Amino acid sequence: MRRILIMLSLIAMISVSLAACAGRGAERDDAAQSGTEDDEIVRIYFIPKNLGNPYFQALSSGFYDAISELGEEHFEYIYTGPETAEATSQSTYVRAAVEAKADAIFIAANSNDALNDVFDEARAAGVRVYSINQDIPGSEAHRDAAIMPVNFDTVGAAQLKLMAEQIDYEGRFAILSATADAPDQNFWIASMQAELANNPAYARMELVALVYGDDQAEKSAAEMEALLAEYPDLKGVIAPTTIGIAAACRVVQSAGAAGRVKVTGLGLPSEMAEFVKAGVCESFQLWNPPYEGYIGAYMVWAEANGVFSPDPGAKFSAGKLGEYTVLPNGQILTLEMPMQYDASNIDMYAVLF
Ligand code: RAM
């Protein structure tokens, strides 16, 4: 490698021009301005749904782990994205990554299809576009592959079962989601609705509301407060979003409704530990967000070394996690099923993510 360029601080780019960024992000500006692009540096961009969500910071930490194992001098890693998660809010960030000569863009898209043209432009410019944290159902032809946290077909049923167990398979419940366009949320919610309609075990449960907190803590809390006010007999809430579940727990706790209104969903153990210990949340699920970034960095490294291209059946080695294979649908599954957390294991995971 001719040149050493390390980008390993937690960089939150707040300007599309890449001019304003924190800490060692300044190194990136110097390199861009000096025009000393180095083709041997593997340049990875990760664009989350929005900044300020600890879930995506956890995912991002996996990129750092892999990069430090593989040799920081070989990589430039940029974590950049919009402040809010509207459907098209990421397009300018994708374009900026292409401008900056990214080798690979990992993106947790805010829409199933709003970015298709931008992805096509990026790929036409020779940049790999990888979905991460989720796929873009119906638009798979516009990305190269997708790193999935788990097999998404398992999530809706697992979440509904968890809710059912907590409310004894009976009563009214609601779903508190993220944004209305979120591909991952909508996929899981559709599975929950199908399961609810078709599985007789849930015949005595009624889904009374589906509300959106936009993955913003305040809006999520306001939606949760409205649910409590509107449905005094509400037995539970599924919030399949880490921001949503924590906000819902906080509201239920301050309303003195812990135990009466069960909260479950997908949460970060580090944020949920206090609520599990206070009895506000019995159990919830997630997976291992850092693994996704870790696998992503190894995948790009394998391609840079000429031993991988993202085609169905292709395999690559992801360090301590072993070998992964691209499935026929272009997905790579980090794990098969969600993991479950409760008082018995929360401390162990809370220190990790
Ligand atoms: C939130 C985001 C993310 C989802 C997790 C579970 O942080 O909505 O997309 O995967 O929750």
Side-chain angles (χ1 to χ4, degrees), residues 49 53 55-56 133-134 178 184-185 188 215 240-242 266 286-287:
K49 285 178 167 181
N53 180 344
Y55 173 87
F56 291 111
N133 172 63
Q134 59 192 40
D184 50 355
Q185 303 284 324
W188 304 326
D215 266 348
T241 133
T242 59
L266 300 172
L286 195 71
W287 31 78

Side-chain angles (χ1 to χ4, degrees), residues 333-349:
L333 303 186
T334 303
L335 305 170
E336 176 63 23
M337 300 269 300
M339 305 193 287
Q340 197 149 311
Y341 312 93
D342 55 29
S344 70
N345 62 1
I346 189 76
D347 284 334
M348 196 166 86
Y349 288 99

Side-chain angles (χ1 to χ4, degrees), residues 45-235:
Y45 274 67
F46 169 37
I47 305 174
K49 285 178 167 181
N50 62 315
L51 297 179
N53 180 344
Y55 173 87
F56 291 111
Q57 283 154 4
L59 198 163
S60 183
S61 73
F63 280 104
Y64 289 112
D65 292 344
I67 288 169
S68 58
E69 286 173 14
L70 291 166
E72 297 173 353
E73 68 277 17
H74 306 311
F75 290 90
E76 185 180 329
Y77 171 68
I78 317 281
Y79 178 55
T80 180
E83 292 296 315
T84 53
E86 288 91 37
T88 55
S89 60
Q90 295 157 309
S91 13
T92 46
Y93 294 87
V94 175
R95 291 204 170 101
V98 174
E99 267 303 287
K101 303 218 174 336
D103 291 294
I105 297 171
F106 288 86
I107 181 164
N110 284 318
S111 157
N112 282 347
D113 53 17
L115 295 158
N116 286 352
D117 290 346
V118 190
F119 291 164
D120 292 348
E121 283 167 28
R123 296 174 72 207
V127 182
R128 290 290 189 204
V129 174
Y130 294 119
S131 197
I132 193 164
N133 172 63
Q134 59 192 40
D135 207 342
I136 39 175
S139 300
E140 291 86 350
H142 300 270
R143 50 75 171 149
D144 287 289
I147 296 191
M148 307 295 283
V150 286
N151 178 350
F152 269 24
D153 291 335
T154 69
V155 178
Q159 288 273 283
L160 190 62
K161 183 160 181 281
L162 198 59
M163 177 88 281
E165 286 165 358
Q166 295 182 15
I167 63 172
D168 296 327
Y169 289 82
E170 183 162 17
R172 309 178 102 189
F173 73 102
I175 296 174
L176 168 60
S177 183
T179 61
D181 290 316
D184 50 355
Q185 303 284 324
N186 288 342
F187 190 99
W188 304 326
I189 291 166
S191 314
M192 289 181 214
Q193 287 169 326
E195 183 76 359
L196 190 64
N198 300 321
N199 188 335
Y202 304 122
R204 285 174 295 127
M205 283 170 59
E206 186 193 356
L207 175 62
V208 289
L210 167 56
V211 297
Y212 300 94
D214 294 346
D215 266 348
Q216 302 289 342
E218 272 181 30
K219 175 139 196 304
S220 303
E223 293 292 345
M224 186 66 216
E225 280 161 7
L227 286 173
L228 291 183
E230 195 168 340
Y231 303 99
D233 58 348
L234 197 70
K235 297 279 273 314

